[in-house]
Structures are given as C-alpha cells and as structure tokens.
Amino acid sequence: MLSVVVAPWAGVAEPVFVRNPDVLHDAASTMKVAVLAALWRSGVNLDADVPVVNHFESAVGGEFGNNQDYDSDPLPWELLGSHVPLSLLAERMITHSSNLATNLCLARTTPRAVADVWRRAGATRSSTPRGIEDYAARAVGVNNLVSARDLVRLIRSLADEPELLGLLEDNDFRVDLAAGLPPNTRIAFKNGWIPGARHCVGLVHPYDCPPYLIAVCYTGPLASGADRIDPAARLLARVSAAVWTRRHEIRPSA
C-alpha cells in the first residue's frame, strides 16, 4: 500500500495530489513529531534535568522497556543512570530517531496532550495511544496509526512554531524524501521505519518556488526495517524526486 499527499504550504490550501490519503499505516517513528509538539506546548521546563531510565508505564498497565538493539541512536543508552536536560532527549528523538528518548519524552507529557496535538492539527484518523515497544498494548490492539493526509496536517500545524520545524531540519537520516531532492535543499522532515513499513513527511523549501508539503507512507514487503539502506527508502526517494520535477505546479487553487 502506497499513500501520497502533496500540498502547498501557504495558507490552508487543499492537496494538489492524493493517492490513498486516508489509509491507516503503522506510524513507526513519524509519531515522534506529535510527541515533540505535545512536549513543547505543555510548558514543561526543557532545560530541567531528568533521569535516563529504561522502564515505562504501559498503556494497558504494568511496565515495559526498550530494546537497545532496536534503537537507531546509541547516545541515550550511554546516558542510562544519569540525568540530562529534557531538551537533549527531545532533540535526539527527532534528529536521531531515538526510541528510548521518545519514551522518556512521552513520560513527561500525557496521552491526552498528544491526542490534542492531532486534534488541533485537524487529523481525522491518526493517533498515538502508546509508547514505542509497548508490546502488551499492541497485543490488545492499541496501536500508533497515521495517514498521509494527517501527517501533512500535523506538519502544517507547526507553522507558528519555527523552533520545532528547525529541529526537523536537523534530521540526521537524509534518506527517503530528502534523498530525492537536489543536494542542500532545505527540508524539515521526519521519517519512520519498521519491518513492513516506511514513511516520511516533510516541508520542502525549493530555491525557485514556494515551499510545499509531502507525505509518503508505504506498507509492504519492500520495507526491510533498515534505517538507511531500506529498499523502501529508495521508493520514497523516487516519489520525492518525481514531485520535485513538478514543484512549480504545487500552488493553491485560484
């Protein structure tokens, strides 16, 4: 299943291209954008030191922890047992897609706050009811889900929060949508990958026309779960490149 949404950035413009825009996919790490926004809007002191632990409350009761072998970022694991600024964890959640940092950030906000992020964005189908690797919750059908249309809405909802968009520009995984753009093209984006699914949403800033939004969600056998060499990442890059060639056509309807 391949879902694509392309839309102008200006105003509240409708998409100019959609393909399966409302089909739900496992969110993978794209849900980290909603966690970031919830944390930012909560008013919590991001400079405060918090303990780095690996035990979290499950959405269905009890506790769970993350598997280091399943995480793309070694730094938070090196900090286990210490205290670090919450801002560092929020940064690594986005720039290096740290699962451990994500659950530590989720622990500093609430499921209601994350749900409110999606609501304020105008999302109709996406939700983030549990942490990453909360397998007990997943076993009873509590899943993080996204659609391509809702991912575009989520990024658009950050328009008045340039600090968050700036953090998304610092994403270290320059694959997926970023790989389909000319070198040094500005893009604020978040990708996500698990075996069987590969997604990316971004705000692209071309040098010669207005910015545009693009979300591509893929669920299928191409997705190996590798962070940078996933065959599905190359698929997303090809879609991004094709959209780039028609970037001048991405404008609000008259």
Side-chain angles (χ1 to χ4, degrees), residues 25-36 93-94 97 118 126-128 132 144-147 151 154-155 168 189-193 198-201 215-217 236:
H25 300 258
D26 187 303
S29 290
T30 60
M31 52 79 78
K32 295 171 183 176
V33 179
V35 176
L36 176 68
M93 171 175 67
I94 298 300
S97 209
W118 287 111
S126 301
S127 60
T128 310
I132 296 176
N144 298 326
L145 300 170
V146 294
S147 71
L151 284 174
L154 178 60
I155 298 299
L168 291 168
F189 70 112
K190 184 70 191 80
N191 29 23
W193 55 88
R198 186 93 193 189
H199 319 313
C200 196
V201 59
V216 183
C217 298
L236 269 62

PDB file of all heavy atoms in Angstrom, residues 25-36 93-94 97 118 126-128 132 144-147 151 154-155 168 189-193 198-201 215-217 236:
ATOM      1  N   HIS A  25      -1.698   3.510   8.387  1.00  0.00           N
ATOM      2  CA  HIS A  25      -0.467   2.736   8.422  1.00  0.00           C
ATOM      3  C   HIS A  25       0.048   2.727   9.860  1.00  0.00           C
ATOM      4  O   HIS A  25      -0.206   3.667  10.624  1.00  0.00           O
ATOM      5  CB  HIS A  25       0.609   3.381   7.542  1.00  0.00           C
ATOM      6  CG  HIS A  25       0.238   3.505   6.096  1.00  0.00           C
ATOM      7  ND1 HIS A  25       0.704   2.644   5.121  1.00  0.00           N
ATOM      8  CD2 HIS A  25      -0.551   4.415   5.453  1.00  0.00           C
ATOM      9  CE1 HIS A  25       0.237   3.012   3.942  1.00  0.00           C
ATOM     10  NE2 HIS A  25      -0.524   4.077   4.113  1.00  0.00           N
ATOM     11  N   ASP A  26       0.824   1.709  10.208  1.00  0.00           N
ATOM     12  CA  ASP A  26       1.549   1.754  11.472  1.00  0.00           C
ATOM     13  C   ASP A  26       2.431   3.009  11.452  1.00  0.00           C
ATOM     14  O   ASP A  26       3.175   3.238  10.506  1.00  0.00           O
ATOM     15  CB  ASP A  26       2.418   0.506  11.611  1.00  0.00           C
ATOM     16  CG  ASP A  26       3.069   0.393  12.979  1.00  0.00           C
ATOM     17  OD1 ASP A  26       3.794   1.338  13.374  1.00  0.00           O
ATOM     18  OD2 ASP A  26       2.882  -0.635  13.643  1.00  0.00           O
ATOM     19  N   ALA A  27       2.358   3.814  12.498  1.00  0.00           N
ATOM     20  CA  ALA A  27       3.009   5.122  12.487  1.00  0.00           C
ATOM     21  C   ALA A  27       4.519   5.056  12.444  1.00  0.00           C
ATOM     22  O   ALA A  27       5.177   5.994  11.978  1.00  0.00           O
ATOM     23  CB  ALA A  27       2.568   5.937  13.696  1.00  0.00           C
ATOM     24  N   ALA A  28       5.113   3.961  12.949  1.00  0.00           N
ATOM     25  CA  ALA A  28       6.559   3.906  13.123  1.00  0.00           C
ATOM     26  C   ALA A  28       7.007   5.197  13.828  1.00  0.00           C
ATOM     27  O   ALA A  28       6.312   5.698  14.714  1.00  0.00           O
ATOM     28  CB  ALA A  28       7.268   3.676  11.795  1.00  0.00           C
ATOM     29  N   SER A  29       8.129   5.773  13.405  1.00  0.00           N
ATOM     30  CA  SER A  29       8.677   6.918  14.148  1.00  0.00           C
ATOM     31  C   SER A  29       8.094   8.270  13.741  1.00  0.00           C
ATOM     32  O   SER A  29       8.480   9.291  14.307  1.00  0.00           O
ATOM     33  CB  SER A  29      10.197   6.958  13.995  1.00  0.00           C
ATOM     34  OG  SER A  29      10.789   5.899  14.704  1.00  0.00           O
ATOM     35  N   THR A  30       7.162   8.291  12.793  1.00  0.00           N
ATOM     36  CA  THR A  30       6.537   9.576  12.471  1.00  0.00           C
ATOM     37  C   THR A  30       5.748  10.116  13.657  1.00  0.00           C
ATOM     38  O   THR A  30       5.530  11.333  13.758  1.00  0.00           O
ATOM     39  CB  THR A  30       5.617   9.454  11.246  1.00  0.00           C
ATOM     40  OG1 THR A  30       4.583   8.499  11.509  1.00  0.00           O
ATOM     41  CG2 THR A  30       6.406   9.038  10.012  1.00  0.00           C
ATOM     42  N   MET A  31       5.334   9.234  14.574  1.00  0.00           N
ATOM     43  CA  MET A  31       4.587   9.676  15.747  1.00  0.00           C
ATOM     44  C   MET A  31       5.410  10.582  16.652  1.00  0.00           C
ATOM     45  O   MET A  31       4.873  11.313  17.487  1.00  0.00           O
ATOM     46  CB  MET A  31       4.061   8.480  16.538  1.00  0.00           C
ATOM     47  CG  MET A  31       5.104   7.432  16.911  1.00  0.00           C
ATOM     48  SD  MET A  31       6.181   7.792  18.324  1.00  0.00           S
ATOM     49  CE  MET A  31       5.081   7.432  19.677  1.00  0.00           C
ATOM     50  N   LYS A  32       6.721  10.580  16.474  1.00  0.00           N
ATOM     51  CA  LYS A  32       7.593  11.381  17.326  1.00  0.00           C
ATOM     52  C   LYS A  32       7.371  12.885  17.127  1.00  0.00           C
ATOM     53  O   LYS A  32       7.667  13.676  18.027  1.00  0.00           O
ATOM     54  CB  LYS A  32       9.048  10.988  17.083  1.00  0.00           C
ATOM     55  CG  LYS A  32       9.320   9.546  17.515  1.00  0.00           C
ATOM     56  CD  LYS A  32      10.689   9.014  17.099  1.00  0.00           C
ATOM     57  CE  LYS A  32      10.839   7.553  17.515  1.00  0.00           C
ATOM     58  NZ  LYS A  32      12.102   6.944  17.067  1.00  0.00           N
ATOM     59  N   VAL A  33       6.851  13.271  15.974  1.00  0.00           N
ATOM     60  CA  VAL A  33       6.531  14.685  15.749  1.00  0.00           C
ATOM     61  C   VAL A  33       5.402  15.120  16.678  1.00  0.00           C
ATOM     62  O   VAL A  33       5.434  16.210  17.262  1.00  0.00           O
ATOM     63  CB  VAL A  33       6.154  14.942  14.282  1.00  0.00           C
ATOM     64  CG1 VAL A  33       5.809  16.418  14.065  1.00  0.00           C
ATOM     65  CG2 VAL A  33       7.278  14.520  13.349  1.00  0.00           C
ATOM     66  N   ALA A  34       4.398  14.279  16.835  1.00  0.00           N
ATOM     67  CA  ALA A  34       3.288  14.604  17.736  1.00  0.00           C
ATOM     68  C   ALA A  34       3.759  14.659  19.187  1.00  0.00           C
ATOM     69  O   ALA A  34       3.320  15.515  19.964  1.00  0.00           O
ATOM     70  CB  ALA A  34       2.164  13.574  17.580  1.00  0.00           C
ATOM     71  N   VAL A  35       4.664  13.761  19.555  1.00  0.00           N
ATOM     72  CA  VAL A  35       5.210  13.785  20.915  1.00  0.00           C
ATOM     73  C   VAL A  35       5.994  15.081  21.138  1.00  0.00           C
ATOM     74  O   VAL A  35       5.874  15.725  22.186  1.00  0.00           O
ATOM     75  CB  VAL A  35       6.108  12.560  21.164  1.00  0.00           C
ATOM     76  CG1 VAL A  35       6.754  12.634  22.549  1.00  0.00           C
ATOM     77  CG2 VAL A  35       5.305  11.267  21.024  1.00  0.00           C
ATOM     78  N   LEU A  36       6.797  15.467  20.159  1.00  0.00           N
ATOM     79  CA  LEU A  36       7.560  16.715  20.271  1.00  0.00           C
ATOM     80  C   LEU A  36       6.637  17.909  20.472  1.00  0.00           C
ATOM     81  O   LEU A  36       6.872  18.749  21.349  1.00  0.00           O
ATOM     82  CB  LEU A  36       8.401  16.915  19.009  1.00  0.00           C
ATOM     83  CG  LEU A  36       9.188  18.224  18.935  1.00  0.00           C
ATOM     84  CD1 LEU A  36      10.309  18.245  19.969  1.00  0.00           C
ATOM     85  CD2 LEU A  36       9.751  18.431  17.530  1.00  0.00           C
ATOM     86  N   MET A  93      15.307  12.474  19.940  1.00  0.00           N
ATOM     87  CA  MET A  93      14.087  11.825  19.469  1.00  0.00           C
ATOM     88  C   MET A  93      13.830  12.157  18.005  1.00  0.00           C
ATOM     89  O   MET A  93      13.382  11.294  17.232  1.00  0.00           O
ATOM     90  CB  MET A  93      12.903  12.284  20.334  1.00  0.00           C
ATOM     91  CG  MET A  93      11.542  11.854  19.826  1.00  0.00           C
ATOM     92  SD  MET A  93      10.192  12.300  20.947  1.00  0.00           S
ATOM     93  CE  MET A  93      10.213  14.108  20.836  1.00  0.00           C
ATOM     94  N   ILE A  94      14.128  13.399  17.612  1.00  0.00           N
ATOM     95  CA  ILE A  94      13.862  13.842  16.248  1.00  0.00           C
ATOM     96  C   ILE A  94      15.077  13.653  15.350  1.00  0.00           C
ATOM     97  O   ILE A  94      14.988  13.064  14.271  1.00  0.00           O
ATOM     98  CB  ILE A  94      13.422  15.313  16.232  1.00  0.00           C
ATOM     99  CG1 ILE A  94      12.119  15.488  17.026  1.00  0.00           C
ATOM    100  CG2 ILE A  94      13.258  15.816  14.797  1.00  0.00           C
ATOM    101  CD1 ILE A  94      10.935  14.682  16.498  1.00  0.00           C
ATOM    102  N   SER A  97      16.154   9.848  15.879  1.00  0.00           N
ATOM    103  CA  SER A  97      15.013   8.939  15.999  1.00  0.00           C
ATOM    104  C   SER A  97      15.159   7.954  17.156  1.00  0.00           C
ATOM    105  O   SER A  97      14.793   6.776  17.056  1.00  0.00           O
ATOM    106  CB  SER A  97      14.803   8.166  14.685  1.00  0.00           C
ATOM    107  OG  SER A  97      13.450   7.818  14.517  1.00  0.00           O
ATOM    108  N   TRP A 118      -2.879  16.020  17.697  1.00  0.00           N
ATOM    109  CA  TRP A 118      -3.537  15.534  16.494  1.00  0.00           C
ATOM    110  C   TRP A 118      -4.862  16.264  16.269  1.00  0.00           C
ATOM    111  O   TRP A 118      -5.194  16.635  15.123  1.00  0.00           O
ATOM    112  CB  TRP A 118      -3.785  14.031  16.590  1.00  0.00           C
ATOM    113  CG  TRP A 118      -2.573  13.184  16.449  1.00  0.00           C
ATOM    114  CD1 TRP A 118      -1.970  12.424  17.414  1.00  0.00           C
ATOM    115  CD2 TRP A 118      -1.793  12.987  15.261  1.00  0.00           C
ATOM    116  NE1 TRP A 118      -0.880  11.773  16.906  1.00  0.00           N
ATOM    117  CE2 TRP A 118      -0.737  12.087  15.595  1.00  0.00           C
ATOM    118  CE3 TRP A 118      -1.881  13.471  13.959  1.00  0.00           C
ATOM    119  CZ2 TRP A 118       0.208  11.670  14.651  1.00  0.00           C
ATOM    120  CZ3 TRP A 118      -0.939  13.064  13.022  1.00  0.00           C
ATOM    121  CH2 TRP A 118       0.091  12.179  13.371  1.00  0.00           C
ATOM    122  N   SER A 126      -5.500   9.638  12.634  1.00  0.00           N
ATOM    123  CA  SER A 126      -4.236   9.269  13.267  1.00  0.00           C
ATOM    124  C   SER A 126      -4.311   9.374  14.782  1.00  0.00           C
ATOM    125  O   SER A 126      -5.039  10.203  15.326  1.00  0.00           O
ATOM    126  CB  SER A 126      -3.112  10.165  12.742  1.00  0.00           C
ATOM    127  OG  SER A 126      -2.996  10.037  11.330  1.00  0.00           O
ATOM    128  N   SER A 127      -3.502   8.552  15.464  1.00  0.00           N
ATOM    129  CA  SER A 127      -3.495   8.578  16.927  1.00  0.00           C
ATOM    130  C   SER A 127      -2.185   7.994  17.441  1.00  0.00           C
ATOM    131  O   SER A 127      -1.519   7.208  16.770  1.00  0.00           O
ATOM    132  CB  SER A 127      -4.674   7.775  17.497  1.00  0.00           C
ATOM    133  OG  SER A 127      -4.609   6.421  17.086  1.00  0.00           O
ATOM    134  N   THR A 128      -1.826   8.404  18.664  1.00  0.00           N
ATOM    135  CA  THR A 128      -0.601   7.938  19.309  1.00  0.00           C
ATOM    136  C   THR A 128      -0.931   7.524  20.737  1.00  0.00           C
ATOM    137  O   THR A 128      -0.630   8.239  21.690  1.00  0.00           O
ATOM    138  CB  THR A 128       0.472   9.047  19.303  1.00  0.00           C
ATOM    139  OG1 THR A 128       0.604   9.576  17.987  1.00  0.00           O
ATOM    140  CG2 THR A 128       1.829   8.509  19.766  1.00  0.00           C
ATOM    141  N   ILE A 132       6.686   3.480  22.315  1.00  0.00           N
ATOM    142  CA  ILE A 132       7.362   2.574  21.387  1.00  0.00           C
ATOM    143  C   ILE A 132       7.785   1.303  22.109  1.00  0.00           C
ATOM    144  O   ILE A 132       8.353   1.353  23.203  1.00  0.00           O
ATOM    145  CB  ILE A 132       8.575   3.280  20.766  1.00  0.00           C
ATOM    146  CG1 ILE A 132       8.105   4.471  19.927  1.00  0.00           C
ATOM    147  CG2 ILE A 132       9.385   2.311  19.911  1.00  0.00           C
ATOM    148  CD1 ILE A 132       9.226   5.290  19.348  1.00  0.00           C
ATOM    149  N   ASN A 144      -0.232   2.786  17.379  1.00  0.00           N
ATOM    150  CA  ASN A 144       0.021   4.117  16.837  1.00  0.00           C
ATOM    151  C   ASN A 144      -0.204   4.069  15.331  1.00  0.00           C
ATOM    152  O   ASN A 144       0.444   3.286  14.630  1.00  0.00           O
ATOM    153  CB  ASN A 144       1.462   4.547  17.134  1.00  0.00           C
ATOM    154  CG  ASN A 144       1.737   4.649  18.612  1.00  0.00           C
ATOM    155  OD1 ASN A 144       0.872   5.020  19.402  1.00  0.00           O
ATOM    156  ND2 ASN A 144       2.964   4.316  19.009  1.00  0.00           N
ATOM    157  N   LEU A 145      -1.100   4.908  14.841  1.00  0.00           N
ATOM    158  CA  LEU A 145      -1.508   4.860  13.442  1.00  0.00           C
ATOM    159  C   LEU A 145      -1.447   6.247  12.818  1.00  0.00           C
ATOM    160  O   LEU A 145      -1.704   7.251  13.496  1.00  0.00           O
ATOM    161  CB  LEU A 145      -2.933   4.307  13.320  1.00  0.00           C
ATOM    162  CG  LEU A 145      -3.155   2.888  13.861  1.00  0.00           C
ATOM    163  CD1 LEU A 145      -4.643   2.574  13.897  1.00  0.00           C
ATOM    164  CD2 LEU A 145      -2.410   1.862  13.016  1.00  0.00           C
ATOM    165  N   VAL A 146      -1.123   6.292  11.529  1.00  0.00           N
ATOM    166  CA  VAL A 146      -1.107   7.563  10.801  1.00  0.00           C
ATOM    167  C   VAL A 146      -1.648   7.355   9.395  1.00  0.00           C
ATOM    168  O   VAL A 146      -1.596   6.257   8.842  1.00  0.00           O
ATOM    169  CB  VAL A 146       0.303   8.177  10.696  1.00  0.00           C
ATOM    170  CG1 VAL A 146       0.833   8.594  12.044  1.00  0.00           C
ATOM    171  CG2 VAL A 146       1.262   7.243   9.979  1.00  0.00           C
ATOM    172  N   SER A 147      -2.129   8.444   8.823  1.00  0.00           N
ATOM    173  CA  SER A 147      -2.429   8.503   7.393  1.00  0.00           C
ATOM    174  C   SER A 147      -1.561   9.592   6.780  1.00  0.00           C
ATOM    175  O   SER A 147      -1.093  10.503   7.479  1.00  0.00           O
ATOM    176  CB  SER A 147      -3.915   8.827   7.154  1.00  0.00           C
ATOM    177  OG  SER A 147      -4.201  10.175   7.509  1.00  0.00           O
ATOM    178  N   LEU A 151      -0.531  13.309   8.386  1.00  0.00           N
ATOM    179  CA  LEU A 151       0.862  13.721   8.580  1.00  0.00           C
ATOM    180  C   LEU A 151       1.110  15.104   7.983  1.00  0.00           C
ATOM    181  O   LEU A 151       1.812  15.932   8.576  1.00  0.00           O
ATOM    182  CB  LEU A 151       1.817  12.695   7.961  1.00  0.00           C
ATOM    183  CG  LEU A 151       2.005  11.406   8.757  1.00  0.00           C
ATOM    184  CD1 LEU A 151       2.859  10.421   7.968  1.00  0.00           C
ATOM    185  CD2 LEU A 151       2.639  11.671  10.123  1.00  0.00           C
ATOM    186  N   LEU A 154      -0.350  17.532  10.318  1.00  0.00           N
ATOM    187  CA  LEU A 154       0.476  17.671  11.519  1.00  0.00           C
ATOM    188  C   LEU A 154       1.615  18.660  11.286  1.00  0.00           C
ATOM    189  O   LEU A 154       1.860  19.547  12.115  1.00  0.00           O
ATOM    190  CB  LEU A 154       1.018  16.308  11.932  1.00  0.00           C
ATOM    191  CG  LEU A 154       1.946  16.269  13.145  1.00  0.00           C
ATOM    192  CD1 LEU A 154       1.243  16.790  14.393  1.00  0.00           C
ATOM    193  CD2 LEU A 154       2.468  14.853  13.372  1.00  0.00           C
ATOM    194  N   ILE A 155       2.330  18.522  10.171  1.00  0.00           N
ATOM    195  CA  ILE A 155       3.423  19.454   9.892  1.00  0.00           C
ATOM    196  C   ILE A 155       2.885  20.858   9.683  1.00  0.00           C
ATOM    197  O   ILE A 155       3.472  21.840  10.170  1.00  0.00           O
ATOM    198  CB  ILE A 155       4.226  18.987   8.667  1.00  0.00           C
ATOM    199  CG1 ILE A 155       4.869  17.622   8.926  1.00  0.00           C
ATOM    200  CG2 ILE A 155       5.316  20.011   8.325  1.00  0.00           C
ATOM    201  CD1 ILE A 155       5.842  17.590  10.079  1.00  0.00           C
ATOM    202  N   LEU A 168      13.277  19.691  12.993  1.00  0.00           N
ATOM    203  CA  LEU A 168      13.027  18.714  11.936  1.00  0.00           C
ATOM    204  C   LEU A 168      14.001  18.883  10.771  1.00  0.00           C
ATOM    205  O   LEU A 168      14.309  17.915  10.068  1.00  0.00           O
ATOM    206  CB  LEU A 168      11.586  18.830  11.439  1.00  0.00           C
ATOM    207  CG  LEU A 168      10.506  18.381  12.438  1.00  0.00           C
ATOM    208  CD1 LEU A 168       9.128  18.816  11.960  1.00  0.00           C
ATOM    209  CD2 LEU A 168      10.545  16.883  12.640  1.00  0.00           C
ATOM    210  N   PHE A 189      11.741  17.486   8.094  1.00  0.00           N
ATOM    211  CA  PHE A 189      11.078  16.205   7.837  1.00  0.00           C
ATOM    212  C   PHE A 189      11.312  15.205   8.964  1.00  0.00           C
ATOM    213  O   PHE A 189      12.232  15.343   9.771  1.00  0.00           O
ATOM    214  CB  PHE A 189      11.560  15.618   6.510  1.00  0.00           C
ATOM    215  CG  PHE A 189      12.988  15.131   6.509  1.00  0.00           C
ATOM    216  CD1 PHE A 189      13.272  13.782   6.400  1.00  0.00           C
ATOM    217  CD2 PHE A 189      14.061  16.022   6.594  1.00  0.00           C
ATOM    218  CE1 PHE A 189      14.591  13.321   6.385  1.00  0.00           C
ATOM    219  CE2 PHE A 189      15.372  15.578   6.577  1.00  0.00           C
ATOM    220  CZ  PHE A 189      15.640  14.215   6.472  1.00  0.00           C
ATOM    221  N   LYS A 190      10.442  14.213   8.978  1.00  0.00           N
ATOM    222  CA  LYS A 190      10.606  13.075   9.903  1.00  0.00           C
ATOM    223  C   LYS A 190      10.250  11.807   9.157  1.00  0.00           C
ATOM    224  O   LYS A 190       9.190  11.721   8.525  1.00  0.00           O
ATOM    225  CB  LYS A 190       9.707  13.214  11.139  1.00  0.00           C
ATOM    226  CG  LYS A 190       9.935  12.100  12.161  1.00  0.00           C
ATOM    227  CD  LYS A 190      11.287  12.226  12.831  1.00  0.00           C
ATOM    228  CE  LYS A 190      11.675  10.986  13.655  1.00  0.00           C
ATOM    229  NZ  LYS A 190      12.193   9.882  12.810  1.00  0.00           N
ATOM    230  N   ASN A 191      11.154  10.849   9.228  1.00  0.00           N
ATOM    231  CA  ASN A 191      10.903   9.551   8.627  1.00  0.00           C
ATOM    232  C   ASN A 191      10.671   8.519   9.716  1.00  0.00           C
ATOM    233  O   ASN A 191      10.934   8.756  10.896  1.00  0.00           O
ATOM    234  CB  ASN A 191      12.060   9.137   7.697  1.00  0.00           C
ATOM    235  CG  ASN A 191      13.408   9.733   8.116  1.00  0.00           C
ATOM    236  OD1 ASN A 191      13.614  10.089   9.273  1.00  0.00           O
ATOM    237  ND2 ASN A 191      14.313   9.845   7.180  1.00  0.00           N
ATOM    238  N   GLY A 192      10.172   7.381   9.307  1.00  0.00           N
ATOM    239  CA  GLY A 192       9.933   6.296  10.243  1.00  0.00           C
ATOM    240  C   GLY A 192      10.014   4.969   9.516  1.00  0.00           C
ATOM    241  O   GLY A 192       9.604   4.877   8.354  1.00  0.00           O
ATOM    242  N   TRP A 193      10.544   3.951  10.196  1.00  0.00           N
ATOM    243  CA  TRP A 193      10.720   2.657   9.546  1.00  0.00           C
ATOM    244  C   TRP A 193      10.608   1.537  10.555  1.00  0.00           C
ATOM    245  O   TRP A 193      11.051   1.640  11.694  1.00  0.00           O
ATOM    246  CB  TRP A 193      12.098   2.596   8.860  1.00  0.00           C
ATOM    247  CG  TRP A 193      13.232   2.902   9.800  1.00  0.00           C
ATOM    248  CD1 TRP A 193      13.910   2.027  10.607  1.00  0.00           C
ATOM    249  CD2 TRP A 193      13.794   4.191  10.072  1.00  0.00           C
ATOM    250  NE1 TRP A 193      14.854   2.681  11.351  1.00  0.00           N
ATOM    251  CE2 TRP A 193      14.812   4.012  11.038  1.00  0.00           C
ATOM    252  CE3 TRP A 193      13.557   5.483   9.579  1.00  0.00           C
ATOM    253  CZ2 TRP A 193      15.572   5.070  11.535  1.00  0.00           C
ATOM    254  CZ3 TRP A 193      14.317   6.533  10.070  1.00  0.00           C
ATOM    255  CH2 TRP A 193      15.314   6.324  11.025  1.00  0.00           C
ATOM    256  N   ARG A 198       7.451   1.928   5.808  1.00  0.00           N
ATOM    257  CA  ARG A 198       8.413   3.036   5.665  1.00  0.00           C
ATOM    258  C   ARG A 198       7.640   4.293   5.310  1.00  0.00           C
ATOM    259  O   ARG A 198       6.894   4.321   4.332  1.00  0.00           O
ATOM    260  CB  ARG A 198       9.407   2.734   4.541  1.00  0.00           C
ATOM    261  CG  ARG A 198      10.524   3.767   4.409  1.00  0.00           C
ATOM    262  CD  ARG A 198      11.718   3.347   5.201  1.00  0.00           C
ATOM    263  NE  ARG A 198      12.696   4.408   5.364  1.00  0.00           N
ATOM    264  CZ  ARG A 198      13.912   4.207   5.876  1.00  0.00           C
ATOM    265  NH1 ARG A 198      14.288   2.995   6.244  1.00  0.00           N
ATOM    266  NH2 ARG A 198      14.748   5.210   6.045  1.00  0.00           N
ATOM    267  N   HIS A 199       7.809   5.362   6.102  1.00  0.00           N
ATOM    268  CA  HIS A 199       7.062   6.590   5.885  1.00  0.00           C
ATOM    269  C   HIS A 199       7.971   7.806   6.005  1.00  0.00           C
ATOM    270  O   HIS A 199       9.031   7.751   6.643  1.00  0.00           O
ATOM    271  CB  HIS A 199       5.936   6.762   6.914  1.00  0.00           C
ATOM    272  CG  HIS A 199       5.178   5.513   7.234  1.00  0.00           C
ATOM    273  ND1 HIS A 199       4.714   4.656   6.270  1.00  0.00           N
ATOM    274  CD2 HIS A 199       4.807   4.975   8.426  1.00  0.00           C
ATOM    275  CE1 HIS A 199       4.072   3.643   6.849  1.00  0.00           C
ATOM    276  NE2 HIS A 199       4.123   3.824   8.162  1.00  0.00           N
ATOM    277  N   CYS A 200       7.526   8.910   5.428  1.00  0.00           N
ATOM    278  CA  CYS A 200       8.231  10.177   5.618  1.00  0.00           C
ATOM    279  C   CYS A 200       7.282  11.324   5.299  1.00  0.00           C
ATOM    280  O   CYS A 200       6.476  11.241   4.370  1.00  0.00           O
ATOM    281  CB  CYS A 200       9.462  10.252   4.711  1.00  0.00           C
ATOM    282  SG  CYS A 200      10.649  11.531   5.183  1.00  0.00           S
ATOM    283  N   VAL A 201       7.379  12.380   6.081  1.00  0.00           N
ATOM    284  CA  VAL A 201       6.618  13.597   5.849  1.00  0.00           C
ATOM    285  C   VAL A 201       7.571  14.768   5.942  1.00  0.00           C
ATOM    286  O   VAL A 201       8.490  14.769   6.764  1.00  0.00           O
ATOM    287  CB  VAL A 201       5.459  13.748   6.861  1.00  0.00           C
ATOM    288  CG1 VAL A 201       5.959  13.766   8.301  1.00  0.00           C
ATOM    289  CG2 VAL A 201       4.629  14.985   6.555  1.00  0.00           C
ATOM    290  N   ALA A 215       3.846  13.965   2.015  1.00  0.00           N
ATOM    291  CA  ALA A 215       3.885  12.792   2.895  1.00  0.00           C
ATOM    292  C   ALA A 215       3.755  11.552   2.032  1.00  0.00           C
ATOM    293  O   ALA A 215       2.903  11.492   1.141  1.00  0.00           O
ATOM    294  CB  ALA A 215       2.757  12.838   3.923  1.00  0.00           C
ATOM    295  N   VAL A 216       4.612  10.578   2.295  1.00  0.00           N
ATOM    296  CA  VAL A 216       4.563   9.297   1.601  1.00  0.00           C
ATOM    297  C   VAL A 216       4.590   8.200   2.651  1.00  0.00           C
ATOM    298  O   VAL A 216       5.505   8.162   3.489  1.00  0.00           O
ATOM    299  CB  VAL A 216       5.744   9.119   0.624  1.00  0.00           C
ATOM    300  CG1 VAL A 216       5.596   7.797  -0.132  1.00  0.00           C
ATOM    301  CG2 VAL A 216       5.824  10.285  -0.357  1.00  0.00           C
ATOM    302  N   CYS A 217       3.605   7.332   2.617  1.00  0.00           N
ATOM    303  CA  CYS A 217       3.538   6.200   3.540  1.00  0.00           C
ATOM    304  C   CYS A 217       3.489   4.912   2.724  1.00  0.00           C
ATOM    305  O   CYS A 217       2.652   4.784   1.813  1.00  0.00           O
ATOM    306  CB  CYS A 217       2.298   6.280   4.429  1.00  0.00           C
ATOM    307  SG  CYS A 217       2.218   7.728   5.500  1.00  0.00           S
ATOM    308  N   LEU A 236      10.558   5.820  -1.638  1.00  0.00           N
ATOM    309  CA  LEU A 236      10.128   7.143  -1.192  1.00  0.00           C
ATOM    310  C   LEU A 236      10.954   8.239  -1.856  1.00  0.00           C
ATOM    311  O   LEU A 236      10.420   9.300  -2.203  1.00  0.00           O
ATOM    312  CB  LEU A 236      10.225   7.248   0.326  1.00  0.00           C
ATOM    313  CG  LEU A 236       8.966   6.849   1.113  1.00  0.00           C
ATOM    314  CD1 LEU A 236       8.610   5.381   0.880  1.00  0.00           C
ATOM    315  CD2 LEU A 236       9.148   7.104   2.607  1.00  0.00           C
TER     316      LEU A 236
END
